[in-house]
Amino acid sequence: MKANNKNNKSRREFLQKSAMVGAGVTLVNPMQLFSQDTNNNTINMDQNIKTKGYAATDDSGKLSPFEFERRPVGDDDILIDVKFASICHSDIHQEKGHWGPQQYPQVPGHEIVGVVAAVGKNVTKFKVGDRAGVGCMVDSCMECDNCTHGEEHYCERGETLFTYGYPTEAEPTGISQGGYSNKIVVRDHFAVHIPEHISFEEAAPLLCAGITTYSPLMKANFKIGDKVGVAGIGGLGHMAIKLAVAKGAEVYGFTTSADKAKDILSWGAKEAIVVDSLDKLQAYRGQMDYMISTIPYAYEMSSYMDCVKPNGFFTQVGVPVGGEYTVNNFNMMFNRVNYNSSLIGGIPETQEVVHFCADNGVVPQIEVINASQINEAWEKVVNKEARYRYVIDAATF
């Protein structure tokens, strides 16, 4: 498939320039021992940052209030006063230990937006008062080829530090702690600017749900009018539909929830297919130019792959318990569909999707909740009742 050459050139230039800015040499500002945050409170840059949030203390999937300390604001760091943090299904999987044993207490959350409250002496990318967002990672080696070319999530040294639950000597708790909190300290390179013409609440889900679907959609290079299927219509899936529609695709939404059909059509999809039986997929065999699945549960993948044209691509981004799916290899011999998976996207591409969504009005469907409603919201996500992204008001921590 060939995309518009002019658009591809502009996008490549944007990504290259963004990567160069993130990895390049910065000017050193005079040392400042103290800083004033956005509420005119004095911040001692040499001291740990007292923080409030909600944490899991075991694999029960229940969160409770948690007070802890973050590291001091380093020379290359920024401190963000968190305004909103949204809930991703992966938060639930990780805290329940579905992807392996965890260290607790652990604060989840990797869709984080707020206002810069302090900056380290080497920081030129941000200034106090800027709107900023943090997604799924907060550090990497920043020296390998991938890290210096906007693919920090695929650090060749294996030093990508994801936003929560990953061991780090830098943090007082011994692990990275996420965005269900009122403050976060992050290396400036791993924060993105949030434009003024998108609300904090609507921007937050773009830091994971947005980039996780945008990155593989862009790499698919589908043409305007191509048929793109989206399987699994939750927080990620509904963004995949909106993004693919905005990029000119003819979109087909596949869901097991009949009450989502009307929403799917309202976002510009041509059809909403309710898959109450795998037989419903037969009519779409070999019809899609490309398909992305956000289904976060174990399922039989082959029937969905059959919907893609021979030599087309099927991308899986949802991750179930243990990361395992069922694929019928005999079936795959006959459909000759190319399978791949995708993680998130690098920092330049994350900045790109935020700007794209702000400029084109491609925003998630959200419900703002208080911190005290987190456990209830998690239950609704698991039960497929979210419509479609819960966003936590950080002022309630």
Side-chain angles (χ1 to χ4, degrees):
M1 301 178 191
K2 294 184 179 179
N4 183 282
N5 289 335
K6 183 177 180 181
N7 290 339
N8 274 349
K9 181 180 179 182
S10 298
R11 182 168 180 267
R12 284 197 300 270
E13 290 174 349
F14 176 91
L15 292 174
Q16 289 168 354
K17 289 177 181 178
S18 298
M20 289 173 65
V21 169
V25 177
T26 57
L27 298 176
V28 177
N29 295 326
M31 169 65 80
Q32 293 182 352
L33 181 60
F34 298 95
S35 179
Q36 298 294 122
D37 68 11
T38 52
N39 296 316
N40 292 319
N41 297 315
T42 300
I43 300 170
N44 188 330
M45 306 284 273
D46 283 345
Q47 292 184 354
N48 289 343
I49 306 298
K50 295 185 182 300
T51 307
K52 294 180 179 180
Y54 264 58
T57 57
D58 54 35
D59 62 5
S60 66
K62 299 297 182 183
L63 274 63
S64 56
F66 177 52
E67 294 189 9
F68 63 106
E69 292 186 346
R70 295 192 183 273
R71 71 174 186 269
V73 181
D75 293 347
D76 300 307
D77 292 336
I78 63 174
L79 169 65
I80 298 174
D81 282 337
V82 179
K83 299 302 180 183
F84 294 93
S86 42
I87 294 173
C88 179
H89 201 140
S90 57
D91 300 340
I92 302 170
H93 278 314
Q94 182 157 325
E95 300 312 325
K96 287 188 173 184
H98 290 169
W99 298 339
Q102 299 296 311
Q103 180 177 329
Y104 303 103
Q106 186 177 136
V107 177
H110 53 210
E111 297 179 339
I112 310 157
V113 292
V115 177
V116 176
V119 300
K121 70 173 186 177
N122 294 340
V123 175
T124 60
K125 183 179 177 181
F126 292 94
K127 64 181 184 301
V128 173
D130 282 353
R131 293 157 53 94
V134 178
C136 299
M137 54 184 165
V138 291
D139 208 350
S140 72
C141 85
M142 286 309 300
E143 294 177 352
C144 71
D145 192 61
N146 280 346
C147 285
T148 56
H149 289 78
E151 297 285 339
E152 303 90 343
H153 50 311
Y154 293 126
C155 176
E156 295 165 27
R157 299 179 184 176
E159 295 180 14
T160 304
L161 181 65
F162 291 97
T163 308
Y164 59 89
Y166 278 69
T168 171
E169 294 179 359
E171 295 296 338
T173 59
I175 57 172
S176 53
Q177 300 286 4
Y180 291 16
S181 61
N182 64 344
K183 296 180 185 295
I184 188 169
V185 177
V186 61
R187 187 170 178 172
D188 65 336
H189 176 84
F190 290 86
V192 297
H193 289 274
I194 305 298
E196 294 286 348
H197 53 295
I198 186 171
S199 72
F200 275 137
E201 300 94 312
E202 292 172 325
L206 303 181
L207 279 305
C208 175
I211 184 58
T212 300
T213 51
Y214 181 83
S215 184
L217 284 169
M218 294 302 294
K219 288 175 175 58
N221 286 329
F222 58 81
K223 301 187 299 293
I224 292 175
D226 277 358
K227 294 181 178 180
V228 172
V230 179
I233 314 302
L236 271 68
H238 94 290
M239 282 305 305
I241 289 176
K242 291 188 173 192
L243 287 165
V245 167
K247 290 291 185 178
E250 182 176 292
V251 180
Y252 295 74
F254 296 81
T255 181
T256 56
S257 301
D259 62 347
K260 293 181 179 179
K262 184 176 180 180
D263 288 339
I264 291 169
L265 296 175
S266 74
W267 301 324
K270 182 177 178 63
E271 287 188 35
I273 301 94
V274 180
V275 189
D276 48 16
S277 166
L278 292 179
D279 292 340
K280 292 288 184 68
L281 299 174
Q282 290 299 314
Y284 299 89
R285 184 180 176 87
Q287 297 298 306
M288 302 295 119
D289 294 287
Y290 172 72
M291 193 164 190
I292 182 171
S293 171
T294 72
I295 298 172
Y297 304 99
Y299 72 106
E300 208 296 304
M301 193 181 290
S302 304
S303 297
Y304 285 86
M305 288 182 177
D306 280 345
C307 296
V308 181
K309 295 178 180 179
N311 300 309
F313 283 84
F314 180 101
T315 301
Q316 180 68 39
V317 295
V319 183
V321 177
E324 297 179 354
Y325 296 97
T326 302
V327 177
N328 185 318
N329 191 58
F330 186 76
N331 196 70
M332 295 287 287
M333 291 177 181
F334 285 91
N335 64 29
R336 204 175 189 182
V337 171
N338 296 290
Y339 168 84
N340 63 70
S341 190
S342 181
L343 188 57
I344 43 175
I347 296 301
E349 199 170 36
T350 303
Q351 185 68 78
E352 180 183 315
V353 69
V354 171
H355 280 308
F356 176 82
C357 290
D359 292 345
N360 294 279
V362 181
V363 296
Q365 186 168 321
I366 63 171
E367 180 180 341
V368 177
I369 63 172
N370 293 334
S372 62
Q373 298 172 282
I374 290 174
N375 289 318
E376 178 186 355
W378 274 28
E379 290 181 5
K380 289 183 177 180
V381 170
V382 171
N383 294 328
K384 304 181 182 180
E385 297 173 8
R387 298 294 186 271
Y388 281 83
R389 209 58 157 182
Y390 289 111
V391 179
I392 308 162
D393 182 352
T396 63
F397 286 120

